[in-house]
Amino acid sequence: MKKTISLENLVNDPGCLSEYDPNAMKIEVARKYIHNFLKANTKTEYVNTEDALNRILGETIISKINVPNYNNSAMDGFAFNLDSLKEKNTLEIATTILAGNLSKHKIKPGFAAQVMTGSKIPNGTDTVLPFELVKQENDSIVVSKLPTKGANIRKLGEDIKKNGDVLKKGVFLRPAEVGLIASIGISKIKVFKKIKVSFFSTGDEVVKAGQPIKSGQVYDSNHFTIQSMLKRINVECVDLGIIPDDKKLIEKTFKNAAKVSDAIITTGGVSVGKADFMKDVLKKLGKVLFWKLSIKPGRPMAYGAFKATPYFGLPGNPVAAMITFYQLVQPALKYLMGQDNYKLPMLLKAKCVAPISKRPGRMEFQRGFFTSKNGELSVKPTPHQGSAILSSMSKANCLIVLDIDQKSIKVDDYVNIQLMEGLV
Ligand code: AMP
Ligand code: MG
């Protein structure tokens, strides 16, 4: 009989699904499993439109008005009836209509109104010509070349139609969307409540910046990268500090985290050797899977749940922690936050200007620096690619994404790159 895919089944019997290979799980499979056990945020709140940046829309917005809500001029120039130019090429200037003048004007054939960008198009006219294209002689204008009818007029509703959908529920609000909402006169909108994400670092050797450090210790960089990545996606961070490799303390911290947050992230303690230790603690508290992902860096990772709170156990190595966050955790958090259709930045082709040695069997996310010349992208891997070399992340502006089956790359081969700008 076919077993249902539940987190419990997987934890108790990791081999119960053919795709599940604890020795090397493909990243796409890991993404799928993670997604299966997530429940998207449904809690909403109202915020002022000016505070809506980087929030996720909690309702579909329908416009009550047309935008623009009147036919208006796209240029500083003259408005007239095109047909009246058929007989003679001169028009008399009847009046000037500034933007913001709400009066109803009527212009007779043979006459033109001086208009500004955003001015109402007066009745009786259907075309606008900019000042530069007409010759002004006293109170008249001379038009030497006939424009097309309707030229330089912005039509009622051409941006947004009355009663039309403006933005769909689940959209991430960038500056353009915030402006768009304001453009239909809405000053308060429903957004999904921010989710709370708890995070802590583990490791006896890990020390907080600002403290003295001894030989054999390492400053906690993961804490700061994880927190910064969380801040970029606008979640509420619950900082639970550095927890030494102590079962009791870790257990206490997990229990606390599950109570106060919508997701938990830890770094360290999930690699071989340490994994058994974390496994003991986590088995007692929830359902947790330990994965060996077929990616580099970021092979060890844990995923699970404490009651309904999803848990992401990231590797301790700083680059591996960042890569697994971007590739696996960020999409999951976006879904939890209520965002629809979050996509990782698309892959672009770039010519590799240095060789890269690679064996098939693992997907690699190498740190790279790309440049663009004459519209063509080139990329060079940063010199040190170790998963502990955090400066390789800082020196990079892209990830070179090498497929699982890909072999070594020669100079001038094309590779896929993922821009870091889009990731954050
Ligand atoms: P672990 O995954 O705990 O075996 O750690 C792997 C490596 O990452 C070890 O060299 C750790 O010292 C290092 N590491 C673990 N946690 C951190 C952290 N928070 N910041 C910087 N390095 C870390
Ligand atoms: Mg550790």
Side-chain angles (χ1 to χ4, degrees):
M1 210 176 81
K2 217 174 152 212
K3 281 188 184 169
T4 43
I5 307 173
S6 75
L7 201 50
E8 194 140 29
N9 279 346
L10 279 175
V11 172
N12 294 334
D13 179 9
C16 71
L17 290 163
S18 57
E19 285 159 299
Y20 184 83
D21 172 7
N23 294 316
M25 184 191 267
K26 284 188 182 164
I27 196 164
E28 300 81 24
V29 180
R31 281 199 187 106
K32 212 174 78 191
Y33 282 127
I34 290 173
H35 190 81
N36 275 346
F37 305 118
L38 297 175
K39 246 183 103 208
N41 186 14
T42 51
K43 292 187 197 123
T44 55
E45 63 184 344
Y46 278 90
V47 292
N48 291 329
T49 304
E50 65 253 44
D51 299 322
L53 183 67
N54 293 341
R55 300 297 297 266
I56 292 155
L57 197 57
E59 62 182 341
T60 293
I61 294 187
I62 291 163
S63 180
K64 291 198 173 90
I65 60 164
N66 284 302
V67 180
N69 82 339
Y70 58 103
N71 292 334
N72 69 87
S73 178
M75 305 291 263
D76 293 341
F78 293 95
F80 48 82
N81 181 297
L82 189 67
D83 290 343
S84 72
L85 278 173
K86 278 189 182 147
E87 273 124 54
K88 56 179 187 138
N89 65 351
T90 353
L91 299 165
E92 210 177 303
I93 303 170
T95 183
T96 297
I97 305 167
L98 301 180
N101 181 337
L102 308 184
S103 317
K104 284 184 180 153
H105 291 271
K106 174 136 179 69
I107 303 297
K108 288 194 227 118
F111 288 82
Q114 185 166 245
V115 289
M116 305 300 151
T117 306
S119 292
K120 266 177 94 167
I121 296 297
N123 285 338
T125 70
D126 55 20
T127 305
V128 168
L129 261 184
F131 290 138
E132 301 80 14
L133 296 185
V134 301
K135 215 166 106 205
Q136 198 168 336
E137 285 173 356
N138 301 320
D139 289 339
S140 298
I141 55 166
V142 182
V143 179
S144 41
K145 193 167 168 263
L146 284 187
T148 50
K149 195 177 259 187
N152 304 308
I153 291 180
R154 302 189 287 214
K155 285 260 184 316
L156 174 91
E158 78 175 19
D159 184 359
I160 296 167
K161 293 253 178 314
K162 190 175 172 176
N163 298 325
D165 276 10
V166 180
L167 291 168
K168 290 246 189 285
K169 182 176 172 178
V171 162
F172 179 72
L173 300 172
R174 306 170 302 171
E177 283 77 32
V178 178
L180 198 61
I181 293 165
S183 81
I184 54 170
I186 293 181
S187 61
K188 262 187 190 306
I189 53 153
K190 204 192 255 186
V191 294
F192 284 109
K193 278 197 169 161
K194 286 190 189 182
I195 60 164
K196 276 193 193 151
V197 182
S198 292
F199 63 99
F200 59 95
S201 313
T202 67
D204 282 340
E205 78 284 28
V206 180
V207 177
K208 190 171 182 185
Q211 309 280 320
I213 193 166
K214 298 194 185 88
S215 172
Q217 293 182 317
V218 59
Y219 277 124
D220 184 359
S221 59
N222 289 344
H223 212 83
F224 292 82
T225 49
I226 300 286
Q227 186 173 38
S228 305
M229 292 186 290
L230 289 173
K231 281 186 179 169
R232 281 263 174 115
I233 58 167
N234 208 15
V235 302
E236 253 182 61
C237 300
V238 184
D239 182 352
L240 297 175
I242 302 168
I243 309 298
D245 294 319
D246 173 305
K247 285 186 187 175
K248 282 236 148 54
L249 271 178
I250 291 183
E251 195 177 321
K252 206 173 126 198
T253 314
F254 266 116
K255 279 186 178 157
N256 182 17
K259 246 185 258 160
V260 299
S261 50
D262 302 295
I264 305 167
I265 300 173
T266 64
T267 63
V270 293
S271 50
V272 184
K274 289 282 178 64
D276 287 341
F277 169 78
M278 281 292 263
K279 252 184 201 163
D280 284 350
V281 182
L282 297 172
K283 219 163 51 189
K284 264 177 76 181
L285 300 172
K287 304 176 203 104
V288 180
L289 296 160
F290 285 80
W291 286 339
K292 271 186 194 161
L293 301 176
S294 57
I295 63 169
K296 188 179 170 186
R299 189 201 282 268
M301 186 183 158
Y303 174 68
F306 300 101
K307 293 203 173 117
T309 312
Y311 161 63
F312 303 91
L314 307 186
N317 274 314
V319 180
M322 288 192 81
I323 300 280
T324 45
F325 182 95
Y326 281 136
Q327 302 298 330
L328 291 153
V329 183
Q330 182 160 296
L333 294 180
K334 288 278 191 176
Y335 178 77
L336 283 179
M337 290 160 81
Q339 185 169 341
D340 251 3
N341 296 332
Y342 169 77
K343 288 204 173 63
L344 283 163
M346 64 175 81
L347 298 175
L348 304 174
K349 289 265 177 246
K351 200 184 251 186
C352 201
V353 298
I356 301 176
S357 86
K358 180 184 179 296
R359 270 184 299 170
R362 277 166 90 181
M363 187 175 188
E364 292 197 16
F365 294 92
Q366 295 227 349
R367 275 68 67 215
F369 192 85
F370 81 90
T371 48
S372 170
K373 203 173 166 194
N374 303 328
E376 179 149 22
L377 301 178
S378 309
V379 69
K380 194 177 178 176
T382 55
H384 298 290
Q385 291 287 331
S387 66
I389 311 288
L390 189 53
S391 57
S392 75
M393 249 344 236
S394 171
K395 288 193 179 102
N397 61 2
C398 70
L399 296 175
I400 302 173
V401 184
L402 304 174
D403 267 340
I404 197 157
D405 298 327
Q406 215 157 339
K407 296 187 189 128
S408 290
I409 304 296
K410 299 187 295 297
V411 171
D412 285 350
D413 278 356
Y414 279 89
V415 289
N416 283 329
I417 62 168
Q418 194 174 44
L419 305 197
M420 285 207 184
E421 282 310 304
L423 273 171
V424 290

Coordinates of all heavy atoms in Angstrom, one line a residue, residues 18 31 71 80 83 95 97 111 123 153 198 208 212 223 241 258 264 277 302 305 317 395 399 409 422:
S18 N 10.4 6.8 -2.9 CA 11.5 6.5 -3.8 C 12.4 7.7 -4.0 O 13.6 7.5 -4.2 CB 10.9 6.0 -5.1 OG 10.1 7.0 -5.6
R31 N 13.2 21.2 -1.8 CA 12.2 22.3 -1.9 C 10.8 21.9 -1.8 O 9.9 22.4 -1.2 CB 12.4 23.1 -3.2 CG 13.6 24.1 -3.2 CD 13.5 25.1 -4.3 NE 14.7 25.9 -4.3 CZ 15.6 25.7 -5.2 NH1 15.5 24.9 -6.3 NH2 16.7 26.5 -5.2
N71 N -9.4 62.8 -19.9 CA -8.5 62.8 -21.0 C -7.6 64.0 -20.8 O -8.0 65.1 -20.5 CB -9.3 63.0 -22.3 CG -10.1 61.8 -22.7 OD1 -9.8 60.7 -22.3 ND2 -11.2 62.0 -23.5
F80 N -6.5 70.7 -30.5 CA -7.4 71.2 -31.5 C -8.1 70.0 -32.1 O -7.8 68.9 -31.8 CB -6.6 72.0 -32.6 CG -5.3 71.2 -33.1 CD1 -5.4 70.2 -34.0 CD2 -4.1 71.4 -32.5 CE1 -4.3 69.4 -34.4 CE2 -3.0 70.7 -32.9 CZ -3.1 69.7 -33.8
D83 N -9.7 67.5 -37.8 CA -10.4 67.7 -39.1 C -10.4 69.2 -39.5 O -10.5 69.5 -40.7 CB -11.8 67.2 -39.0 CG -11.8 65.7 -38.9 OD1 -10.8 65.1 -39.3 OD2 -12.8 65.1 -38.5
T95 N -7.6 80.0 -26.0 CA -7.4 80.2 -24.6 C -6.2 79.3 -24.1 O -5.6 78.6 -24.9 CB -8.7 79.7 -23.9 OG1 -8.5 79.9 -22.5 CG2 -9.0 78.2 -24.1
I97 N -5.2 76.6 -21.1 CA -5.8 75.7 -20.0 C -4.6 75.1 -19.2 O -3.9 74.3 -19.8 CB -6.7 74.6 -20.6 CG1 -7.8 75.2 -21.4 CG2 -7.3 73.8 -19.4 CD1 -8.6 74.2 -22.3
F111 N -10.0 76.7 -34.1 CA -9.3 77.3 -32.9 C -8.5 76.2 -32.2 O -8.7 75.0 -32.4 CB -10.3 77.9 -32.0 CG -11.0 79.1 -32.5 CD1 -12.1 79.1 -33.3 CD2 -10.5 80.4 -32.0 CE1 -12.6 80.3 -33.8 CE2 -11.1 81.5 -32.5 CZ -12.1 81.5 -33.4
N123 N -13.4 70.1 -24.6 CA -14.4 69.6 -25.6 C -14.1 70.2 -27.0 O -13.7 71.3 -27.1 CB -15.8 69.9 -25.2 CG -16.3 69.0 -24.0 OD1 -15.7 67.9 -23.8 ND2 -17.2 69.5 -23.2
I153 N -2.5 62.5 -26.5 CA -3.6 62.6 -25.5 C -3.6 61.3 -24.7 O -3.5 60.2 -25.2 CB -4.9 62.8 -26.2 CG1 -5.0 64.2 -26.8 CG2 -6.1 62.6 -25.2 CD1 -6.3 64.6 -27.5
S198 N 12.3 33.0 14.7 CA 13.3 32.9 15.8 C 14.6 32.3 15.2 O 14.5 31.4 14.3 CB 12.9 31.9 16.9 OG 11.8 32.4 17.6
K208 N 30.2 35.8 20.5 CA 29.6 37.0 20.0 C 30.6 38.2 19.7 O 31.5 38.4 20.5 CB 28.5 37.5 21.0 CG 27.6 38.5 20.4 CD 26.5 38.9 21.3 CE 25.6 39.9 20.6 NZ 24.5 40.4 21.3
P212 N 36.0 39.3 23.9 CA 37.3 38.8 23.5 C 37.3 37.4 22.9 O 36.3 36.6 23.2 CB 38.1 38.8 24.8 CG 37.1 39.0 25.9 CD 35.8 39.4 25.3
H223 N 24.9 34.6 12.8 CA 23.9 35.3 13.5 C 23.5 36.6 12.7 O 22.4 36.9 12.5 CB 24.4 35.7 14.8 CG 23.4 35.7 15.9 ND1 23.0 34.6 16.5 CD2 22.6 36.8 16.3 CE1 22.0 35.0 17.4 NE2 21.8 36.3 17.3
G241 N 20.1 34.3 20.5 CA 21.5 34.3 20.9 C 22.3 33.1 20.4 O 21.9 32.5 19.4
A258 N 9.5 27.8 19.6 CA 8.3 27.2 19.0 C 7.1 28.0 19.5 O 6.1 28.2 18.8 CB 8.2 25.8 19.3
I264 N 11.6 28.6 12.8 CA 12.8 28.6 13.6 C 14.0 28.3 12.7 O 13.9 27.4 11.8 CB 12.8 27.5 14.7 CG1 11.5 27.7 15.6 CG2 14.0 27.6 15.6 CD1 11.2 26.5 16.5
F277 N 24.0 14.4 17.9 CA 23.8 15.1 19.1 C 22.5 15.9 18.9 O 21.6 15.9 19.8 CB 25.0 16.0 19.3 CG 24.8 17.1 20.4 CD1 24.8 16.7 21.7 CD2 24.5 18.4 20.1 CE1 24.6 17.7 22.7 CE2 24.3 19.3 21.0 CZ 24.3 19.0 22.3
A302 N 19.0 20.3 8.2 CA 17.9 19.6 8.9 C 16.6 20.4 8.6 O 16.6 21.6 8.4 CB 18.1 19.6 10.4
A305 N 9.6 20.1 12.0 CA 8.5 21.0 12.7 C 8.4 20.6 14.1 O 8.6 19.5 14.5 CB 7.2 20.8 12.0
N317 N 28.9 26.3 8.6 CA 29.8 27.1 7.8 C 29.1 28.3 7.2 O 28.0 28.1 6.6 CB 30.4 26.2 6.7 CG 31.6 25.4 7.1 OD1 32.5 25.9 7.8 ND2 31.6 24.1 6.9
K395 N 32.8 39.3 -1.8 CA 33.4 39.8 -3.0 C 32.6 39.5 -4.3 O 32.8 40.0 -5.3 CB 34.8 39.0 -3.2 CG 35.8 39.5 -2.2 CD 37.2 39.0 -2.6 CE 38.2 39.6 -1.7 NZ 38.7 38.5 -0.7
L399 N 25.9 34.3 -8.1 CA 26.3 32.9 -7.9 C 26.4 32.2 -9.2 O 25.6 32.5 -10.1 CB 25.2 32.2 -7.1 CG 24.9 32.7 -5.6 CD1 23.8 32.0 -5.0 CD2 26.2 32.5 -4.8
I409 N 34.5 23.2 -16.0 CA 34.2 24.3 -17.0 C 35.5 24.8 -17.6 O 36.4 25.1 -16.8 CB 33.4 25.5 -16.3 CG1 32.2 25.0 -15.5 CG2 33.2 26.6 -17.2 CD1 31.1 24.5 -16.4
G422 N 19.1 40.4 -7.1 CA 17.7 40.0 -7.1 C 17.4 39.0 -6.0 O 16.2 38.8 -5.7

